[in-house]
Amino acid sequence: MQPRNVWQALFRPGYLLSPWPWRAVAYLLTGAVTGAAVLVGLVAVVAVGGVLVVVLVGLPLLAAVAFAGLPVAALERRRLRLVDADDAPGAHLEPAAPGLRSWLTTRLRERATWRELGHTLLTACLLWPAEALLLTVALFVPLATVAAPLLLATAGGGRETKVLKVWTVTGWPAAFGAAALGVLLLVVGGYALGAAAGARAALTRLLVAPRGGDPRARVVELTRSRARLVDAFESERRRIERDLHDGAQQRLVALTMNLGLARLDVPPGGPLAEQLARAHEEAGAALAELRELIHGIHPQVLADYGLEAAVADAADRSPVPVDVEFARPVPRLPQAVEAAAYFVVREALANVARHSGAQHARVRAEHRGGRLLVLEVADDGRGGADSARGTGLTGLADRVSVLDGRLTLTSPPGGPTLLRVEIPCEPSPPSQPSQPNPPSQASPPSQPSQPNPPSQASPPNPPSQPSQPSGPDDRTGTVAEASA
């Protein structure tokens, strides 16, 4: 297995005959040159900015010093490849929005920016002189000592020469003795340079390219990716709902109408009439089930009219009487928040009807300070609900936690039960309500600008279905009319 970095190579046999000593020398040499150039650049920028600060032109230059670590750190991550084959990614986050202001705000709030600035100042003030001194002592001095016989033969005329202008060598025996000492110093210096390059690379990786990445940055990125997944999931739900409505539901509407027309053409009382009647009833039942399925996937009333109308619709559908109270009109919220809040209410009301034995329930919602949605579902049932005994409440808590929200349950034995949900969110920009597709049969078009309350039945519905809500959901009203 080949060594991945200079530290691993140091403890392998044949280190001095491998490329690693030369890579260490290249790393330290380029580091010294880079540090000297950075020092000159910083001094020049600060000097020019200090002179021009009187006319306010120098203020941007002085402020730019805070970002001086960014290009230097990018160069350092590239130089790491000389002595470390592992990846060296940056620890910076992508700005939340495009534009210079968002970029500046993100960078100023990141710890990585200030770590890189500290690394830049350390490189410019301390590291590059140390690297230059180490290269001189561990490389150039041994090389000059090894070259003593050559210097004696050329510059000394075979009689006398000076090594490093300090040590006088007279005669060939002394010259070859100096060369042997130089070889020994080169061996020691090769290992010293490798260790120094490894230490320098470790410091650089710690400050500008941590192996595990910045934990805080990873948490932020995981949060953003989780939010993107939630948005994609909700978009897919809406697509499935739209495809079912525009495809299978419209075909069932047409089939129900055709069966109804066929029944009118067949004399009553015969076998064919009975079969058509059964087929018509089955088609109507399938249409009703499909309508409920579509409503469960993503109710159109939620997309068109928001959380308040959708919660009122869910309360109207509950077999237990439910009072709905909104402290003040709730603005349109992000789609993921509205969907999560709606399904929490719907699941909670379903649990009330199935398990609590309650006679009455209450739903209360409030958008506090424009930043926090607070939702409470209470009932007067027997209590004793425990999230550890089932996956329903756990699923609700997981759905809310994806949005950085919190779900708490208070349900002592004997009741009452209170489910409280808090989701941080801000109002979404106003948008036009979605326009439903035109129905497949002639019916009076609904007026989205004047929706009926979800708990009222629209006049076109037949008397046999007074409990079916219409009004905000134009498409549901269309299906109910066609299935009559």
Side-chain angles (χ1 to χ4, degrees):
M1 181 178 176
Q2 295 294 328
R4 299 285 298 172
N5 53 57
V6 68
W7 279 117
Q8 296 178 3
L10 276 172
F11 300 98
R12 300 287 182 89
Y15 164 75
L16 293 176
L17 300 179
S18 69
W20 287 104
W22 301 107
R23 296 176 71 168
V25 170
Y27 182 69
L28 294 174
L29 182 60
T30 55
V33 174
T34 301
V38 169
L39 178 61
V40 172
L42 287 177
V43 171
V45 170
V46 172
V48 174
V51 172
L52 298 179
V53 74
V54 181
V55 292
L56 303 181
V57 179
L59 292 178
L61 290 176
L62 294 178
V65 174
F67 302 98
L70 299 181
V72 176
L75 178 61
E76 288 295 319
R77 284 191 286 270
R78 290 181 176 274
R79 288 201 318 113
L80 270 178
R81 300 173 185 174
L82 289 171
V83 292
D84 193 342
D86 294 337
D87 293 333
H92 293 288
L93 298 174
E94 290 294 329
L100 179 61
R101 181 177 180 180
S102 177
W103 184 87
L104 291 174
T105 303
T106 302
R107 292 294 174 263
L108 288 174
R109 291 178 177 177
E110 287 179 326
R111 295 181 180 180
T113 301
W114 303 107
R115 286 202 309 267
E116 292 174 356
L117 178 60
H119 173 267
T120 299
L121 296 177
L122 190 64
T123 299
C125 300
L126 180 62
L127 293 181
W128 82 266
E131 290 169 339
L133 178 61
L134 181 62
L135 285 171
T136 300
V137 173
L139 181 63
F140 298 126
V141 169
L143 286 177
T145 307
V146 170
L150 181 62
L151 293 175
L152 181 64
T154 55
R159 295 186 300 273
E160 180 181 284
T161 187
K162 284 191 175 184
V163 177
L164 300 173
K165 297 186 178 181
V166 175
W167 179 18
T168 302
V169 175
T170 58
W172 291 105
F176 283 107
L181 178 62
V183 172
L184 180 61
L185 292 176
L186 273 178
V187 172
V188 176
Y191 280 95
L193 290 173
R200 174 73 163 86
L203 177 63
T204 299
R205 183 173 287 279
L206 177 65
L207 294 178
V208 304
R211 294 185 186 274
D214 189 350
R216 187 165 168 264
R218 292 181 63 189
V219 169
V220 173
E221 182 59 29
L222 286 175
T223 303
R224 291 181 178 177
S225 63
R226 186 175 62 178
R228 289 193 295 267
L229 287 175
V230 171
D231 292 339
F233 175 71
E234 292 300 330
S235 298
E236 186 66 14
R237 288 174 68 100
R238 290 192 297 272
R239 185 192 66 80
I240 294 174
E241 180 269 340
R242 185 173 58 252
D243 291 346
L244 286 175
H245 172 269
D246 297 340
Q249 182 173 275
Q250 296 301 326
R251 290 180 179 274
L252 280 176
V253 168
L255 175 61
T256 304
M257 294 178 61
N258 290 334
L259 289 174
L261 294 175
R263 291 179 63 184
L264 296 177
D265 294 338
V266 175
L272 180 58
E274 293 180 359
Q275 293 180 1
L276 286 175
R278 286 196 299 270
H280 194 197
E281 292 174 358
E282 291 293 331
L287 185 58
E289 292 179 2
L290 181 62
R291 182 171 61 229
E292 289 299 323
L293 175 62
I294 293 174
H295 191 276
I297 292 175
H298 191 85
Q300 187 65 24
V301 63
L302 178 64
D304 287 345
Y305 299 100
L307 181 62
E308 189 169 351
V311 169
D313 182 36
D316 185 67
R317 292 169 177 266
S318 174
V320 177
V322 180
D323 291 337
V324 178
E325 176 188 351
F326 280 79
R328 59 180 61 89
V330 176
R332 293 307 302 265
L333 303 175
Q335 294 177 350
V337 174
E338 287 188 341
Y342 169 77
F343 284 109
V344 164
V345 170
R346 200 183 71 168
E347 184 67 23
L349 292 179
N351 289 338
V352 169
R354 287 195 298 261
H355 308 299
S356 71
Q359 302 298 319
H360 186 268
R362 176 177 60 87
V363 178
R364 184 179 181 276
E366 181 182 2
H367 193 229
R368 295 181 179 175
R371 294 181 178 273
L372 181 67
L373 175 65
V374 179
L375 198 65
E376 294 180 351
V377 182
D379 67 79
D380 57 358
R382 65 177 65 96
D386 186 4
S387 60
R389 295 187 305 191
T391 59
L393 294 176
T394 304
L396 293 181
D398 292 341
R399 189 181 186 109
V400 171
S401 66
V402 168
L403 300 171
D404 291 333
R406 183 177 61 177
L407 183 146
T408 56
L409 177 67
T410 304
S411 183
T417 298
L418 175 63
L419 180 70
R420 180 183 176 91
V421 174
E422 297 178 357
I423 303 177
C425 61
E426 295 183 355
S428 61
S431 60
Q432 297 294 330
S434 60
Q435 298 295 334
N437 293 333
S440 59
Q441 75 281 1
S443 63
S446 59
Q447 301 296 330
S449 59
Q450 298 178 356
N452 296 325
S455 59
Q456 297 178 357
S458 61
N461 284 340
S464 59
Q465 296 180 350
S467 62
Q468 294 296 333
S470 60
D473 195 341
D474 299 329
R475 302 193 293 191
T476 303
T478 299
V479 174
E481 181 180 355
S483 62

